């Protein structure tokens, strides 16, 4: 056994092209380990293979008292500020979330052998492994490649995992099964030479229904919604194509590119879009490099013209249509014939589980079972057992979902009681899938370098509390969706939830307090039909009370069958803010120190400031007052937008940014005055040119919102423009709060509430 | 005989499974990061939402430690991740020593006030390396002499039984049971002698 390698062991089970790429990557690892390859170049190389950095990989960790240096064996890096020996995260692309039994078993083994025995399902149907050492990645990739999985382009400025509705093919309301199309596009674009020069990532989603959540086509760079059309008396398949959607810091609703793109044209059109994006998309400023910004800049009509022009110039490629001969390759066969439940004995807990976790397929006698994964996690043993269960009940018809669960398709209804018992035995029999208990959360501060607040910690706490009370909740509350991101980057898809949260921090009496911004009004249905807006910044410890209070008010005040979005719209944001106002208050450390720690963490959030905080008294610096006023202005803009006055809302949002900039400027130059031009000039000189305003990761992104809105004001802003500008204003103000906090820390001055 | 015995895991079980909670261990592991002993400790992960798994995980550079309930029994698992030099006997000895040190440290942690006590006579050894050490009777046979030699250092003349998990999909996992009572401290002393 000695000396045997996975490369030898797997031999020709590794596809030649993937094997070659992995060999090259292994060589690059070797070169970098000898410092013979530039660290920045290596970072992009590994990112394009899904090999990410992870929190604390800069070799530092705040232990609750002070920042400790993690004494890695060598100072070698695998990217800027990324220690070579620091464990990282491996993202594994699973196109349309489809998994076979064999793939599940390999993933389980890898979770155990190179990670921490935990597999995490992401909000884009990927699998992530954490705490992986870079030297372990080539063999891991080989083992994945041998079962048809690649990590290529799981990260970096590339086409990311192509997602699709997990019910595709068995759904009752779909136009047709989008699975083979999503697979074909994923394969076609993987490593395609036209897709290698993007300024940012490019995300694609497929959906078969307009009105369900499904593939969330409205929030993707390219969303393909399956539709049919009668042509000469024959039903033709095609796609309603949407472009330029996205969440991120400022969400954009996708724009309709074409009502009907034939199945023959789907791949070449995607290629043409990629070529235009590569050619004209922003490259230097990452904050504006997604295709949504290019479309906003050009306008959808001009973008469309350029794409269609590009399409005409594309050299023919047989792959555009060759897959159409094999559409049935992804067709699924049931392992067992569909049989009704017919009053079979039901184990304890079955009824509740059946109510929320079982979806009746359009194929009579078969159902889809959702295996609910708390926080999107399952152990290697659970994955292995799930593979075994799948083999016995359905074989290879398993998919991951964007709500971080697993679905088993083609279950014979008569098998449900036995299946439930088996799932329960391995700890995967949890009910309440797709309900308020089934909370989506990105990794946040647990493992993500960008995390500000603990999204998983909060999700875990909310889940625990809501699960205890689930059966006492009104059905309308049970059906609400909660989604949480650890920062403004929206990996938890908080904009598209009934109740969304994203992590921020605030300086209170000289101490940094973890907070979440409360986002309401988003719509998960209709493929993420609308995006919510920020309502209030609330300390993390009060977020469970926010959920409880909103739910109570909703049930107490809703009119007939009014849904949550309509309820929030009816009572208005001013009233919502009033509901939450007292929860936004933070007690002093002496009154309740728990507010100064995040959920799921025992460390003080920033105890570095403790000494100053204890003697802070009630001094409230001027800047804090002025920043709070700017935030209030941004909120007023939301109210005006709700009332239909987009123009004024837009102006006030822009003004709120100037007001926040002024607050910062006045910390250095009290007499800056009220002239916007002067304020912005001073802000640029004092805070941007000096990088004082720079977010550690977003850099000057938020400052650019201010500059752009000032330099290129919109003369007749639409409601969407106003919505976006309000989001930008909120982020700019958050940036100003954070900047003020950093300045206070550096100067050892007080930053009061 | 596998002379590249890597990714060794050793688990000792708590005498009283409820004697220490994952939340307490989470706090203790956080403290250990600030007080490392010849190793780089990085972060603590909370997985209490998955009952049969690592409940609280202390992530290190070379090795991980967890309050583990993967097999439905609460214990402290030590898992080596980075390669170790030496033959199988040396690898086993090093892993056993590291696991015992962690058990002792937890037993002595002021936060648990002596409540955490480990059942020394039973342990689980796993090898998270399906290529180098596949889960087979042959692998165990090849390893048996070295394993018993190391175990005899801590268990002396006591009768020892080795039971392999025969599920071939699992990594090589051996349940080890010795006749008699053995404390962590005594086993540490024996191993150090």
């Amino acid at each position: 056994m000695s000396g045997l390698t996975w490369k030898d062991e797997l031999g020709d089970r590794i596809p030649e092209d993937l094997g070659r790429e992995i060999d090259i990557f292994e060589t690059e690892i070797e070169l970098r380990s000898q410092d013979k390859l530039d660290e920045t170049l290596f970072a992009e190389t590994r990112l394009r293979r899904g090999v990410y950095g992870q929190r604390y990989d800069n070799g530092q960790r705040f232990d609750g008292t002070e920042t400790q240096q993690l004494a890695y064996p060598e100072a070698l890096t695998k990217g800027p500020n990324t220690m070579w020996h620091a464990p990282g995260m491996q993202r594994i692309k699973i196109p349309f979330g489809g998994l076979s039994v064999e793939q599940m078993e390999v993933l389980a083994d890898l979770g155990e052998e190179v990670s921490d025995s935990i597999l995490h399902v992401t909000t884009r149907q990927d699998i992530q492994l954490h705490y992986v050492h870079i030297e372990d990645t080539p063999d891991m990739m080989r083992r994945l490649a041998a079962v048809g999985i690649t990590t290529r382009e799981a990260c970096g400025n590339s086409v990311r995992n192509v997602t699709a509705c997990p019910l595709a093919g068995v759904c009752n309301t779909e136009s047709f099964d989008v699975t083979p199309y999503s697979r074909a596009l994923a394969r076609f674009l993987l490593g395609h030479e036209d897709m290698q020069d993007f300024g940012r990532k490019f995300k694609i989603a497929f959906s078969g229904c307009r009105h369900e959540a499904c593939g969330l086509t409205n929030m993707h760079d390219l969303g393909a919604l399956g539709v049919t059309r009668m042509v000469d008396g024959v039903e033709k398949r095609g796609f309603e194509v949407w472009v330029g959607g996205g969440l991120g810091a400022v969400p954009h609703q996708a724009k309709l590119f074409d009502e009907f793109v034939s199945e023959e044209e789907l791949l070449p059109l995607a290629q043409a879009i990629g070529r235009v994006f590569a050619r004209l998309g922003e490259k230097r400023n990452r904050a504006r490099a997604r295709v949504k910004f290019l479309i906003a800049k050009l306008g959808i009509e001009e973008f469309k013209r350029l794409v269609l022009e590009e399409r005409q110039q594309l050299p023919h490629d047989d792959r555009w249509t060759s897959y159409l001969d094999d559409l049935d390759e992804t067709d699924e066969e049931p392992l067992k014939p569909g049989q009704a439940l017919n009053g079979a004995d039901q184990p304890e807990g079955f009824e509740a589980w059946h109510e929320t976790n079982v979806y009746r397929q359009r194929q009579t006698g078969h159902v889809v079972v959702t295996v609910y994964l708390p926080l999107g996690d399952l152990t290697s043993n659970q994955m292995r057992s799930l593979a075994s269960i799948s083999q016995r009940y359905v074989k290879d018809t398993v998919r991951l979902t964007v709500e971080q669960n697993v679905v088993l398709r083609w279950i014979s209804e008569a098998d449900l009681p036995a299946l439930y018992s088996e799932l329960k035995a391995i700890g995967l029999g949890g009910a309440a899938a797709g309900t308020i208990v089934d909370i989506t959360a990105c990794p946040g501060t647990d493992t993500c370098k960008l995390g500000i607040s603990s999204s998983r910690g909060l999700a875990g706490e909310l889940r625990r509390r809501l699960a205890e009370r689930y059966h006492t909740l009104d059905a309308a509350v049970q059906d609400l969706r909660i989604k949480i991101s650890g920062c403004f980057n929206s990996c938890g898809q908080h904009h598209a939830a009934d109740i969304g949260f994203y992590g921020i921090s605030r300086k209170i009496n000289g101490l940094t307090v973890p907070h979440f911004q409360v986002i309401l009004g988003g719509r998960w249905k209709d493929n993420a039909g609308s995006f919510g807006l920020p309502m209030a910044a609330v300390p993390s410890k009060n977020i469970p009370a926010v959920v409880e209070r909103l739910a109570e008010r909703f049930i107490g005040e809703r009119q007939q069958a009014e849904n949550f979005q309509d309820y929030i719209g009816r009572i208005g944001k001013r009233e919502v803010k009033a509901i939450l106002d007292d929860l936004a208050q933070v007690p002093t450390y002496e009154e309740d120190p728990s507010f100064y720690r995040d959920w799921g963490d025992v460390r003080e959030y920033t105890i570095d400031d403790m000494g100053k905080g204890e003697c802070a008294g009630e001094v409230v610096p001027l800047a804090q007052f002025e920043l709070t006023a700017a935030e209030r202005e941004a909120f007023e803009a939301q109210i005006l937008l709700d009332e239909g006055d987009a123009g004024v809302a837009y102006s006030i949002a822009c003004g709120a940014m100037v007001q926040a900039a002024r607050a910062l400027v006045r910390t250095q130059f009290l007499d800056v005055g009220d002239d916007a031009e002067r304020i912005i000039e001073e802000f640029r000189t004092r805070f941007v040119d000096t990088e004082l305003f720079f977010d550690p990761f977003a850099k000057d992104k938020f400052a650019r919102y201010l500059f752009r809105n000032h330099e290129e004001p919109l003369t007749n802003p639409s409601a969407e423009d106003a919505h976006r500008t309000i989001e930008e204003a909120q982020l700019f103000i958050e940036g100003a709060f954070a900047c003020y906090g950093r300045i206070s820390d550096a100067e050892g001055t007080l930053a009061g509430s | 005989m596998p002379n590249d015995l890597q990714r060794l895991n050793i688990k000792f079980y708590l005498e009283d499974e409820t004697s220490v909670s994952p939340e307490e261990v989470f706090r203790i592991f956080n403290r250990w990061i600030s007080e490392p002993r010849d190793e780089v400790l990085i972060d603590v992960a909370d997985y209490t939402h998955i009952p049969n798994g690592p409940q609280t995980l202390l992530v290190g550079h070379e090795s991980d430690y967890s309050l583990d309930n993967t097999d439905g029994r609460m214990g402290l698992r030590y898992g080596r991740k980075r390669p170790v030099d030496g033959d199988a006997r040396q690898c086993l000895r090093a892993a056993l020593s590291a696991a015992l040190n962690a058990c002792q440290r937890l037993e002595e942690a002021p936060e648990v006030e002596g409540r955490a006590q480990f059942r020394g006579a039973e342990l689980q050894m796993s090898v998270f390396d399906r290529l180098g050490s596949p889960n087979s009777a042959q692998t165990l046979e090849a390893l048996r002499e070295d394993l018993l030699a190391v175990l005899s250092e801590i268990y002396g003349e006591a009768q020892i039984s080795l039971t392999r998990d025969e599920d071939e999909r699992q990594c090589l996992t051996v349940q080890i049971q010795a006749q008699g009572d053995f404390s962590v401290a005594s086993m540490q002393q024996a191993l150090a002698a």
Side-chain angles (χ1 to χ4, degrees):
Chain A
M1 284 175 283
S2 177
L4 189 64
T5 66
W6 279 110
K7 191 173 172 181
D8 297 335
E9 174 75 6
L10 296 168
D12 57 10
R13 290 173 61 197
I14 303 171
E16 196 179 339
D17 53 341
L18 292 181
R20 193 166 48 247
E21 281 176 16
I22 297 166
D23 289 347
I24 290 169
F25 182 50
E26 192 167 42
T27 304
E28 287 166 335
I29 289 177
E30 181 61 29
L31 287 171
R32 179 62 203 146
S33 73
Q34 297 171 21
D35 207 8
K36 292 177 180 170
L37 187 65
D38 173 71
E39 63 169 10
T40 306
L41 186 63
F42 180 72
E44 178 61 15
T45 298
R46 66 175 165 79
L47 286 169
R48 284 186 181 231
R49 285 159 181 79
V51 182
Y52 275 69
Q54 205 175 297
R55 207 168 179 86
Y56 313 123
D57 67 7
N58 60 355
Q60 295 181 346
R61 183 179 186 270
F62 184 71
D63 71 358
T65 306
E66 60 186 337
T67 298
Q68 300 275 359
Q69 300 298 317
L70 302 173
Y72 290 113
E74 302 162 48
L76 185 68
T77 60
K78 51 188 173 186
N81 298 315
T82 311
M83 304 300 291
W84 182 263
H85 290 283
M89 181 268 277
Q90 177 68 53
R91 183 174 295 155
I92 300 166
K93 287 167 99 174
I94 309 293
F96 63 86
L99 282 176
S100 67
V101 168
E102 185 183 36
Q103 289 172 334
M104 291 165 80
E105 287 176 343
V106 169
L107 285 164
D109 292 352
L110 288 170
E112 215 164 52
E113 293 180 47
V114 306
S115 179
D116 59 354
S117 299
I118 302 289
L119 299 117
H120 177 72
V121 177
T122 77
T123 55
R124 294 204 73 258
Q125 295 177 316
D126 301 288
I127 291 276
Q128 284 181 186
L129 303 178
H130 292 95
Y131 309 113
V132 177
H133 282 265
I134 193 154
E135 292 96 338
D136 291 334
T137 56
D139 274 347
M140 180 198 63
M141 291 172 186
R142 290 186 179 104
R143 293 167 75 179
L144 289 169
V147 292
I149 295 176
T150 178
T151 67
R152 181 169 183 182
E153 293 163 9
C155 180
N157 301 327
S158 55
V159 178
R160 301 294 184 83
N161 193 34
V162 175
T163 60
C165 169
L167 298 178
V170 298
C171 169
N172 290 287
T173 54
E174 69 183 359
S175 306
F176 56 86
D177 182 3
V178 296
T179 308
Y181 302 94
S182 62
R183 189 177 74 152
L185 188 57
R187 286 180 171 182
F188 177 63
L189 298 182
L190 181 70
H192 196 294
E193 62 180 9
D194 288 346
M195 306 290 142
Q196 305 303 311
D197 192 25
F198 294 164
R200 282 288 273 136
K201 59 191 169 186
F202 192 83
K203 295 179 177 176
I204 299 174
F206 280 79
S207 179
C209 318
R210 187 180 306 279
H211 297 300
E212 297 300 325
C214 287
L216 306 171
T217 49
N218 281 327
M219 55 182 231
H220 279 79
D221 296 297
L222 193 163
L225 180 65
V227 291
T228 57
R229 174 182 281 186
M230 296 303 287
V231 178
D232 299 330
V234 179
E235 187 179 82
K236 290 279 291 177
R237 287 179 174 187
F239 294 88
E240 194 174 282
V241 171
W242 294 77
V243 292
L247 295 180
V250 179
H252 286 228
Q253 284 281 353
K255 302 275 187 297
L256 181 62
F257 183 91
D258 197 328
E259 288 179 352
F260 190 85
V261 173
S262 69
E263 55 185 357
E264 294 85 358
E265 272 301 301
L266 180 66
L267 270 56
L269 181 72
Q271 184 182 352
I273 288 172
R275 283 167 70 122
V276 170
F277 178 43
R279 193 174 75 235
L280 300 177
E282 172 66 44
K283 295 285 195 327
R284 281 179 296 185
N285 178 7
R286 282 175 59 82
R288 295 188 68 75
R290 293 286 292 274
V291 75
K292 62 189 177 187
F293 295 106
L294 177 63
I295 293 168
K297 182 177 157 192
L298 295 174
I300 184 65
E301 290 308 319
E302 175 62 5
F303 179 76
K304 186 173 174 179
R305 188 189 69 75
L306 290 166
V307 168
L308 294 178
E309 190 176 88
E310 190 75 33
R311 165 67 189 93
Q312 293 310 313
Q313 293 167 7
L314 286 181
H316 177 77
D317 189 330
D318 286 342
R319 293 175 298 170
W320 289 343
T321 53
S322 58
Y323 78 99
L324 293 171
D325 297 332
D326 305 316
L327 285 181
D328 58 358
E329 265 191 13
T330 56
D331 284 357
E332 296 170 338
E333 292 292 326
L335 191 64
K336 300 181 179 187
Q339 285 184 343
L341 199 51
N342 281 339
D345 285 344
Q346 297 179 356
E348 191 185 341
F350 177 82
E351 197 178 341
W353 174 80
H354 186 272
E355 192 178 318
T356 51
N357 295 42
V358 176
Y359 172 88
R360 201 178 294 272
Q361 293 183 194
R362 72 164 182 269
Q363 295 87 357
T364 308
H366 285 105
V367 295
V368 177
V369 164
T370 299
V371 180
Y372 165 43
L373 307 179
L375 306 186
D377 290 346
L378 74 170
T379 65
S380 284
N381 273 343
Q382 284 177 322
M383 181 64 114
R384 201 171 288 119
S385 299
L386 199 54
S388 172
I389 288 171
S390 304
Q391 192 157 34
R392 278 178 281 121
Y393 288 93
V394 294
K395 212 172 175 189
D396 290 333
T397 58
V398 180
R399 296 200 187 180
L400 308 176
T401 79
V402 297
E403 294 200 275
Q404 303 179 300
N405 291 322
V406 176
V407 294
L408 307 177
R409 300 141 55 97
W410 294 99
I411 300 281
S412 175
E413 215 173 341
D415 281 341
L416 283 174
L419 172 69
Y420 170 68
S421 295
E422 291 202 38
L423 289 173
K424 203 172 162 185
I426 59 168
L428 292 177
T435 71
I436 193 167
V437 178
D438 188 2
I439 297 166
T440 301
C442 71
T445 49
D446 276 17
T447 51
C448 177
K449 291 166 81 166
L450 305 179
I452 295 171
S453 300
S454 177
S455 42
R456 278 168 62 90
L458 174 60
E461 183 64 20
L462 287 175
R463 176 183 162 269
R464 188 184 63 75
R465 294 184 187 211
L466 291 165
E468 283 172 4
R469 300 178 47 213
Y470 180 74
H471 293 291
T472 67
L473 297 174
D474 188 279
V477 171
Q478 289 178 338
D479 285 345
L480 296 178
R481 293 290 214 285
I482 296 177
K483 297 186 186 295
I484 308 172
S485 302
C487 73
F488 52 80
N489 281 308
S490 309
C491 295
Q493 302 176 339
H494 57 262
H495 290 291
D498 296 296
I499 304 175
F501 303 105
Y502 73 85
I504 55 175
S505 67
R506 285 293 163 83
K507 207 79 173 173
I508 309 289
N509 292 330
L511 300 175
T512 310
V513 180
H515 277 60
F516 280 92
Q517 186 64 247
V518 181
I519 309 288
L520 299 177
R523 186 181 294 277
W524 181 245
K525 290 263 182 181
D526 303 330
N527 282 290
S530 65
F531 300 146
L533 276 171
M535 295 288 166
V538 175
S540 299
K541 285 293 150 86
N542 274 343
I543 294 295
V546 167
V547 174
E548 196 169 318
R549 192 174 292 181
L550 287 171
E552 278 174 11
R553 291 288 294 259
F554 171 48
I555 292 308
E557 298 169 11
R558 71 192 288 239
Q559 296 174 351
Q560 290 146 353
E562 188 175 43
N563 68 29
F564 189 71
Q565 287 83 18
D566 291 344
Y567 165 72
I568 293 295
R570 178 170 60 76
I571 68 170
K573 294 193 173 73
R574 204 184 301 273
E575 178 61 18
V576 173
K577 195 166 178 67
I579 291 172
L580 303 179
D581 254 355
D582 64 309
L583 296 176
Q585 305 307 312
V586 182
T588 64
Y589 185 87
E590 292 73 19
E591 286 168 342
D592 190 347
S594 73
F595 275 73
Y596 297 78
R597 287 190 290 270
D598 211 341
W599 292 110
D601 206 337
V602 295
R603 294 170 291 168
E604 298 291 345
Y605 198 63
T606 50
I607 207 167
D608 262 351
D609 302 318
M610 180 72 84
K612 296 164 234 158
E614 283 176 339
C615 62
E618 277 75 43
V619 178
V620 180
L622 179 65
Q624 198 82 17
F625 273 125
E626 293 184 346
L627 288 171
T628 305
E631 189 174 39
R632 196 165 52 242
E633 283 289 291
F635 184 76
E636 284 302 316
Q638 287 186 36
I639 302 286
L640 286 159
L641 179 61
D642 276 359
E643 291 168 0
D645 203 339
V648 179
Y650 168 78
S651 298
I652 289 183
C654 292
M657 281 190 263
V658 176
Q659 198 173 344
R662 181 175 182 272
L664 286 181
V665 171
R666 275 161 55 84
T667 61
Q668 296 183 1
F669 178 29
L670 201 59
D671 298 322
V672 65
D674 295 322
D675 178 57
E677 200 72 43
R678 178 81 190 277
I679 291 166
I680 289 169
E681 185 189 326
E682 293 291 343
F683 173 74
R684 188 191 298 273
T685 307
R686 294 167 184 271
F687 288 89
V688 180
D689 293 348
T690 58
E691 301 190 1
L692 273 176
F693 188 78
F694 275 33
D695 178 270
F697 295 99
K699 304 295 179 194
D700 63 344
K701 177 177 184 169
F702 304 144
R704 286 172 184 271
Y705 295 155
L706 169 72
F707 299 147
R708 178 171 42 79
N709 280 296
H710 182 68
E711 289 157 12
E712 304 162 21
L714 301 174
T715 49
N716 188 23
S718 65
E720 192 182 344
D721 292 330
H723 186 120
R724 190 171 58 248
T725 308
I726 291 167
E727 289 275 4
E728 291 177 347
Q730 189 63 47
L731 289 163
F732 180 80
I733 293 164
E734 293 299 347
F737 270 115
C739 174
Y740 179 60
R742 288 194 297 274
I743 294 167
S744 304
D745 292 348
E747 294 179 351
T749 58
L750 300 175
S753 59
Chain B
M1 185 176 79
N3 60 7
D4 55 348
L5 191 61
Q6 303 295 339
R7 300 182 195 277
L8 260 170
N9 278 243
I10 300 287
K11 177 176 177 179
F12 281 99
Y13 297 91
L14 282 164
E15 284 280 8
D16 174 358
E17 298 201 359
T18 61
S19 59
V20 57
S21 70
E23 292 74 22
E24 286 174 306
V25 175
F26 189 91
R27 194 174 289 275
I28 292 165
F29 280 172
N30 262 284
R31 180 169 58 75
W32 288 9
I33 294 175
S34 306
E35 302 164 2
R37 295 180 179 175
D38 299 327
E39 62 183 326
V40 181
L41 300 174
I42 301 165
D43 197 17
V44 186
D46 170 18
Y47 291 127
T48 47
H49 53 284
I50 315 176
N52 287 115
Q55 299 295 280
T56 303
L57 175 75
L58 173 56
V59 181
H61 170 245
E62 296 91 355
S63 309
D64 291 344
Y65 301 86
S66 59
L67 182 70
D68 182 80
N69 195 38
T70 299
D71 54 357
R73 296 173 61 196
M74 204 68 90
L76 187 76
R77 177 189 290 274
Y78 162 83
R80 179 76 194 187
K81 299 190 295 188
R82 306 313 299 148
V84 186
D85 290 334
D87 59 21
R89 198 171 295 198
Q90 288 169 314
C91 292
L92 281 163
R93 209 168 179 283
L96 197 55
S97 175
L100 284 168
N101 286 342
C103 288
Q104 184 203 27
R105 203 172 176 190
L106 188 59
E107 284 186 343
E108 293 175 355
E111 293 92 335
V112 296
E113 299 168 328
R115 279 178 281 122
Q117 295 295 318
F118 289 91
R119 183 183 307 134
E122 184 184 9
L123 68 103
Q124 183 190 69
M125 183 207 70
S126 309
V127 190
F128 284 5
D129 177 10
R130 286 173 173 78
L131 183 71
S133 302
N135 183 13
S136 66
Q138 292 89 330
T139 310
L140 179 56
E141 275 317 299
L143 191 61
R144 186 181 294 273
E145 186 183 337
D146 287 317
L147 182 57
L148 288 173
V150 176
L151 291 172
S152 70
E153 290 188 50
I154 56 170
Y155 293 136
E157 300 295 315
Q159 190 178 345
I160 298 167
S161 69
L162 307 180
T163 310
R164 183 178 65 87
D165 182 341
E166 294 184 356
D167 180 352
E168 289 182 357
R169 298 180 314 156
Q170 295 289 344
C171 59
L172 177 67
T173 299
V174 181
Q175 212 66 30
I176 297 164
Q177 180 77 54
Q179 291 291 322
D181 291 327
F182 298 90
S183 69
V184 167
S186 69
M187 291 190 290
Q188 269 186 309
Q189 283 167 8
L191 205 56

